[in-house]
Amino acid sequence: MLTFFEKLVDPYADHGAGREVPRKLIPFLLEYLRPFRKVAVLIVFFTAIVAAMEVGMIWYAGRLVDALSENGPTEVWNIYGTELILIALALLIARPLLTMVDVAFINQSLMPNIGTMVRWRSHKRVLGQSVGWFQEDFAGRIANRVMQTAPAVGEASFQTFDALAYASLYVIGALILLSDTDIRLAVPMVLWLIAYIGLIAYFVPRVGRASKAFSDARSAITGRIVDSYTNIQTVKLFAHTDREERFAYEAIEEGRRTFAAEMRIITWMDVALMTVNGFLMVGVVGYAIWLWSVGVGSLGAVAAASALVLRLNSMTMWIMWALSSLFQNLGVISEGMETIAAPIDLRDNPTAKSLVVDGGEIRFDDVSHHYGKDKGGLNHLNLTIKPGERVGLVGRSGAGKSSMVNLLLRFHDVETGRILIDGQAVGEVTQDSLRTNIGMVTQDTSLLHRSVRENILYGSPKATDEAMFDAATKVAAHDFIPELEDPKGRSGYDAHVGERGVKLSGGQRQRIALARVVLKDAPILVLDEATSALDSEVEAAIQESLYGLMEGKTVIAIAHRLSTIAQMDRIVVLEGGAVAEDGTHAELLALNGLYAGFWNRQSGGFIDVEGETVEAAE
């Protein structure tokens, strides 16, 4: 039966992905609650019925006290027998059924689905952000915000419907009951309600702000700890465990301080609430007893008033905690919105079409990009790479090599100029189609924390095992993969490689990454120090395969080991973000310029400028 309620809302339903997410709290929540509108109406409806029944029980308890005090047992049964049987049936059958429907809408329709929906939509949106956006934040903090916001939205919704809706309807019913008994009994309750609302208005926003501060601090703790864990090898290599402890201590202590501040507010809130509730009990019950003592009120009215205020006394603490929890969750949501609702800075043009690669010509047309700064990146770069041409890219660190590749892949948009592939501007085609047609192997190879099979098939998920084995064989990876085994006993292509591939050597990671690109078989190939992690014997073994892989493709190969690109069709030397030299290996040596200087100063095949080995990273 509960399956019916669970399927009322599909958390994975299409919601017009790509549109902007509201950046203000209430519109943000309403956006995510939109699919639950009908469920919300039903929750309020059944909650009202349940609250009315609770107040009705207290009213009937007063009526029963009057009946028992005014009549003997036989008379009570004769007069009220049928009524008592109906009340018993209502308590045994109707009340549980109505409560079940009410909580089923909350616990089955709302709670599992809204958290799932928020997490799913948030993850999809974050995946749509640019590489540059991710580089500006901790991966741990981004993940933390996505994970925390989902349950926070669920809890906020739960508190709103389960506590606030029920309490509001209960208070209204209580006022009606007291007014029906004696209008004067409603006076102390109204005064209490004003004081209670004042406490809420004073304390709850302060709890919300304190909760937001603690949520920020908690995300900072997660970010710092994950940063240390992710770079644990560097931490150990430099023997900086104590430094990382201090780095985490600062964030953890800030978290303790902000949490203590939040708890101070809650402590004073509890004391103030208990004081106000004391006035409620004395005011209503005392007044009811006085009315009874002067013969105006009945004993049943005293009993009903007493039961009502005792119930309200326990309920107000629950409501205040529910409100505090609500504002705490709103604080978490506000912090999560900083990530989830951040504008997507790199979007496909609404009229973007899929890239069609006929030959693979690449043209940089007066391209400038300085990452919003005054220098660095590319500066009026003009370069044409013919279809099927293999071009080596050389230059000092900061010359613009990585910028060229990042802009070609549209990890950033060019500031001025255009980049065209077969005459199609990369900014005018879909990002997925652009990157589908470009295969790239980077120097800093990162593998997914999955099996070897999944990592290689990432290049072409529908490829057969035979195609996967062939790709691995071409890059000398099939020799070591069958020998792999992870701690859970999975072996060969089913062995998991660890986070970022840490369970493998650098050379093994690089060969799996190469196999992935071989399997992808894209018409444009970018190699950024693709063999830098390989020893000379393995490099020699796969060099022929690499040249075979390049056959018929347009290739850009960044290298500092100049011997790896000496056989390219052309070699382009970048300096200051523009082309400084362009020609074959022999032509550039004869020119006796920058390239010749690099070649002459090589040490072990690496470019050496002013005694410093230049790295590929920019």
Side-chain angles (χ1 to χ4, degrees):
M1 186 194 327
L2 295 180
T3 303
F4 165 78
F5 293 95
E6 291 166 355
K7 291 184 176 181
L8 286 177
V9 179
D10 179 7
Y12 304 106
D14 179 58
H15 61 285
R19 67 182 181 185
E20 288 299 329
V21 174
R23 305 193 69 188
K24 292 185 177 180
L25 183 59
I26 299 304
F28 178 88
L29 288 171
L30 291 176
E31 173 67 23
Y32 280 103
L33 286 169
R34 190 186 305 275
F36 297 88
R37 287 171 299 190
K38 293 181 180 178
V39 170
V41 170
L42 291 169
I43 289 174
V44 172
F45 174 75
F46 281 99
T47 298
I49 294 176
V50 171
M53 289 184 68
E54 295 298 313
V55 175
M57 287 169 55
I58 293 174
W59 170 81
Y60 195 77
R63 174 178 169 80
L64 191 59
V65 167
D66 285 337
L68 294 174
S69 63
E70 295 170 359
N71 302 279
T74 304
E75 292 174 307
V76 167
W77 183 250
N78 290 334
I79 298 171
Y80 300 101
T82 303
E83 183 180 304
L84 289 171
I85 292 172
L86 291 175
I87 293 296
L89 290 173
L91 291 174
L92 292 172
I93 300 173
R95 183 168 174 258
L97 284 175
L98 288 168
T99 301
M100 189 201 75
V101 173
D102 183 36
V103 297
F105 277 122
I106 295 174
N107 295 340
Q108 267 58 55
S109 302
L110 179 70
M111 291 301 292
N113 290 322
I114 194 166
T116 300
M117 184 188 70
V118 171
R119 191 171 286 127
W120 172 247
R121 290 190 184 183
S122 300
H123 178 58
K124 285 185 68 176
R125 181 174 178 81
V126 168
L127 281 177
Q129 294 285 6
S130 68
V131 172
W133 183 87
F134 280 94
Q135 292 170 345
E136 295 296 322
D137 206 343
F138 289 117
R141 180 159 63 179
I142 294 171
N144 186 54
R145 285 176 170 175
V146 170
M147 294 302 295
Q148 285 188 352
T149 301
V153 171
E155 285 298 319
S157 304
F158 176 81
Q159 299 298 351
T160 299
F161 292 117
D162 185 59
L164 301 187
Y166 177 84
S168 299
L169 294 166
Y170 190 95
V171 168
I172 292 171
L175 282 170
I176 294 172
L177 173 60
L178 290 175
S179 299
D180 183 63
T181 303
D182 191 306
I183 191 66
R184 290 169 292 184
L185 281 176
V187 174
M189 186 171 174
V190 169
L191 294 174
W192 164 83
L193 187 59
I194 293 171
Y196 185 64
I197 292 172
L199 287 181
I200 290 174
Y202 179 81
F203 282 108
V204 171
R206 285 168 171 77
V207 172
R209 288 193 291 271
S211 177
K212 171 66 165 58
F214 177 58
S215 182
D216 289 341
R218 185 170 51 198
S219 286
I221 293 170
T222 303
R224 291 193 177 197
I225 289 176
V226 170
D227 191 42
S228 296
Y229 295 167
T230 303
N231 296 283
I232 191 64
Q233 186 175 16
T234 302
V235 173
K236 298 294 185 181
L237 281 172
F238 287 88
H240 278 330
T241 302
D242 56 343
R243 187 182 185 89
E244 292 306 303
E245 288 174 357
R246 290 195 301 273
F247 186 62
Y249 168 79
E250 294 170 1
I252 292 172
E253 174 56 21
E254 177 64 13
R256 186 201 66 81
R257 189 190 64 76
T258 56
F259 188 58
E262 181 181 347
M263 290 297 101
R264 282 198 295 271
I265 297 171
I266 290 175
T267 297
W268 284 115
M269 181 181 72
D270 289 347
V271 173
L273 180 61
M274 202 61 67
T275 303
V276 170
N277 282 351
F279 281 105
L280 171 68
M281 289 186 284
V282 171
V284 174
V285 177
Y287 197 38
I289 292 174
W290 181 80
L291 290 174
W292 169 78
S293 67
V294 297
V296 176
S298 68
L299 193 61
V302 175
S306 300
L308 194 64
V309 294
L310 288 173
R311 173 69 173 142
L312 282 172
N313 176 65
S314 60
M315 186 185 295
T316 51
M317 185 65 73
W318 168 51
I319 296 168
M320 191 69 87
W321 272 106
L323 281 168
S324 299
S325 176
L326 171 62
F327 274 76
Q328 286 172 343
N329 284 304
L330 292 180
V332 173
I333 295 167
S334 295
E335 195 236 350
M337 284 170 56
E338 295 173 14
T339 291
I340 296 168
I344 296 177
D345 56 357
L346 254 176
R347 288 186 177 276
D348 286 340
N349 190 305
T351 60
K353 298 179 179 179
S354 293
L355 175 67
V356 178
V357 179
D358 295 324
E361 180 190 73
I362 302 172
R363 181 156 61 93
F364 291 81
D365 184 7
D366 197 32
V367 173
S368 291
H369 187 85
H370 304 293
Y371 302 96
K373 302 176 182 178
D374 296 329
K375 58 182 180 179
L378 301 180
N379 187 34
H380 298 289
L381 174 70
N382 288 284
L383 176 67
T384 298
I385 301 173
K386 299 174 183 176
E389 190 173 30
R390 300 173 302 175
V391 174
L393 208 57
V394 177
R396 295 184 176 92
S397 181
K401 304 182 299 297
S402 294
S403 296
M404 249 183 87
V405 172
N406 287 338
L407 293 173
L408 174 64
L409 287 160
R410 206 187 165 208
F411 288 158
H412 306 277
D413 274 328
V414 298
E415 292 170 2
T416 61
R418 295 189 306 165
I419 301 174
L420 301 104
I421 297 176
D422 285 339
Q424 303 157 85
V426 298
E428 300 299 323
V429 298
T430 63
Q431 295 176 64
D432 283 350
S433 70
L434 170 67
R435 293 161 194 160
T436 297
N437 283 285
I438 301 175
M440 181 170 180
V441 181
T442 61
Q443 180 181 16
D444 181 22
T445 301
S446 177
L447 300 181
L448 301 163
H449 188 6
R450 302 169 197 174
S451 67
V452 173
R453 179 188 308 276
E454 289 172 291
N455 271 283
I456 296 177
L457 288 176
Y458 215 71
S460 180
K462 295 182 180 180
T464 63
D465 279 356
E466 288 72 19
M468 177 184 67
F469 297 148
D470 183 58
T473 301
K474 286 181 178 177
V475 295
H478 191 63
D479 299 335
F480 71 83
I481 291 175
E483 307 301 321
L484 295 176
E485 185 173 348
D486 65 26
K488 292 189 176 180
R490 294 167 296 206
S491 60
Y493 284 86
D494 295 319
H496 283 224
V497 300
E499 187 175 1
R500 297 175 61 85
V502 294
K503 295 179 182 178
L504 305 179
S505 69
Q508 289 173 330
R509 286 199 301 271
Q510 197 76 336
R511 279 179 273 174
I512 290 175
L514 283 166
R516 184 165 60 191
V517 173
V518 169
L519 194 62
K520 184 177 183 180
D521 195 28
I524 297 171
L525 183 62
V526 178
L527 304 174
D528 186 355
E529 288 292 319
T531 59
S532 63
L534 307 178
D535 57 52
S536 56
E537 184 177 351
V538 174
E539 182 183 17
I542 69 170
Q543 196 71 45
E544 186 175 340
S545 294
L546 277 178
Y547 277 106
L549 173 63
M550 296 179 191
E551 198 67 38
K553 301 181 188 297
T554 303
V555 180
I556 298 175
I558 300 174
H560 288 137
R561 190 180 296 173
L562 299 184
S563 59
T564 63
I565 60 168
Q567 302 302 315
M568 292 287 184
D569 300 325
R570 289 163 60 200
I571 296 172
V572 174
V573 181
L574 294 183
E575 182 75 4
V579 176
E581 296 175 4
D582 186 352
T584 64
H585 172 71
E587 290 170 346
L588 294 181
L589 287 181
L591 186 63
N592 199 29
L594 286 169
Y595 181 81
F598 294 156
W599 183 265
N600 292 331
R601 287 193 295 268
Q602 277 188 354
S603 175
F606 289 89
I607 299 174
D608 189 72
V609 182
E610 298 177 354
E612 295 183 1
T613 301
V614 180
E615 300 174 350
E618 306 230 348

